[in-house]
Amino acid sequence: MTPRGFTKPLYILPFDHRGSFQTKMFGWKGELSTEQTAEIAKAKQVIYDGFQKAIADGVEKEKSSILVDEQFGAAILRDAKAQGFHFAMAAEKSGQEEFDFQYGDDFAKHIEEFKPTFSKVLVRYNPGGDATLNREQAARLKRLSDYLQGAGQALFMFELLVPAEQEQLDHFLGDKTAYDLELRPELMVKALEELQAAGVEPDVWKIEGLDRREDCEKIVATARQGGRDNVSCIILGRGEDDAKVHEWLNTASGVDGFIGFAVGRTDFWDPLVNWRAGKNSRDEAVAEIARRYREFVDVFEAGKKA
């Protein structure tokens, strides 16, 4: 299959969190009731309203996007489509170490129903980990990749997480920061290469924050090797604080091939928690989410100009 790619600016507000949202934001376990599902959907609507306010306040619509799940965000997906927003839709089952489809063999029907701009997967893939698991994941991902290229229903967005294997972490005496700086970038390059060799062809790679410009450059070079000239990368926030996210945005924005970001929890988590605790109003939560999103856009665009 010929890689397609996406090269326009892309600033994503992701709130496709499901398992973590249910347990950490709401403190609920097990199967949800209809009322609980509606309560989570209501909270996600606050985030979506913040996104819309940011655009109303001046963030360019063509550069903006949301990422949300069908389970709690079906109404939002439909509205985003009606309003002509770029939007990405999660295809993976939430809260699993191993990638699998949220809706099993029916994954294509759900993509065709909503027709998102991007079909997104989150995948934990460490080249130094379980080789059998990696092959099995790659086979499922190739199935989605082939479908998206053949059907043309959506572009393919791939969120790559490379969690440390215990042996790798032990090498750094348990220091995750050292692992992130010294080994993870190398493993990410190798993961891209292995997935490409397995026939997995994303249009956009979502990449965990990188501290060094040269590591960002290596990731882009790998993503675009072999004629994949229009494949691009975006940086993700990993729920870090504002200062760290600003660092990552500044680093990535100066590298050709990094077209934007996906920053979610750093944007919406505190405003939502405060709203649910009665510390601020719904309007205040919406306004704060919009302000934070605009701030990340401004940081990335300033870095691009610099």
Side-chain angles (χ1 to χ4, degrees), residues 94-126:
S94 177
Q96 293 202 159
E97 295 302 311
E98 177 179 355
F99 167 78
D100 204 355
F101 293 104
Q102 173 70 43
Y103 298 103
D105 291 337
D106 287 336
F107 71 88
K109 293 179 182 177
H110 291 261
I111 295 169
E112 289 162 13
E113 178 183 351
F114 290 94
K115 294 182 172 58
T117 316
F118 301 95
S119 178
K120 167 261 177 186
V121 295
L122 181 152
V123 180
R124 294 170 177 84
Y125 187 107
N126 187 319

Side-chain angles (χ1 to χ4, degrees), residues 50-159:
F51 170 79
Q52 293 180 90
K53 178 171 172 52
I55 292 174
D57 290 346
V59 175
E60 292 181 59
K61 181 178 179 180
E62 283 304 307
K63 297 180 179 180
S64 306
S65 177
I66 58 167
L67 163 58
V68 71
D69 56 287
E70 181 180 345
Q71 182 182 1
F72 302 116
I76 293 171
L77 289 166
R78 292 189 178 96
D79 188 77
K81 182 72 174 178
Q83 294 204 50
F85 293 132
H86 291 309
F87 66 103
M89 176 175 153
E92 81 279 354
K93 195 174 288 185
S94 177
Q96 293 202 159
E97 295 302 311
E98 177 179 355
F99 167 78
D100 204 355
F101 293 104
Q102 173 70 43
Y103 298 103
D105 291 337
D106 287 336
F107 71 88
K109 293 179 182 177
H110 291 261
I111 295 169
E112 289 162 13
E113 178 183 351
F114 290 94
K115 294 182 172 58
T117 316
F118 301 95
S119 178
K120 167 261 177 186
V121 295
L122 181 152
V123 180
R124 294 170 177 84
Y125 187 107
N126 187 319
D130 187 326
T132 300
L133 172 62
N134 287 345
R135 282 194 301 271
E136 290 173 351
Q137 292 195 112
R140 294 190 194 107
L141 292 159
K142 183 181 187 301
R143 185 181 173 194
L144 177 61
S145 181
D146 289 348
Y147 162 74
L148 291 172
Q149 288 218 349
Q153 289 288 339
L155 295 169
F156 187 12
M157 180 178 291
F158 194 115
E159 179 174 349

Side-chain angles (χ1 to χ4, degrees), residues 129-200:
D130 187 326
T132 300
L133 172 62
N134 287 345
R135 282 194 301 271
E136 290 173 351
Q137 292 195 112
R140 294 190 194 107
L141 292 159
K142 183 181 187 301
R143 185 181 173 194
L144 177 61
S145 181
D146 289 348
Y147 162 74
L148 291 172
Q149 288 218 349
Q153 289 288 339
L155 295 169
F156 187 12
M157 180 178 291
F158 194 115
E159 179 174 349
L160 174 66
L161 303 183
V162 185
E165 292 291 314
Q166 189 58 53
E167 183 179 328
Q168 294 166 343
L169 201 55
D170 289 345
H171 179 76
F172 296 100
L173 304 179
D175 187 342
K176 290 185 178 180
T177 301
Y179 163 79
D180 280 338
L181 183 66
E182 301 298 337
L183 182 56
R184 178 166 59 82
E186 173 189 328
L187 293 172
M188 293 168 80
V189 167
K190 191 171 182 182
L192 263 66
E193 291 174 339
E194 289 184 4
L195 288 160
Q196 289 168 340
V200 180

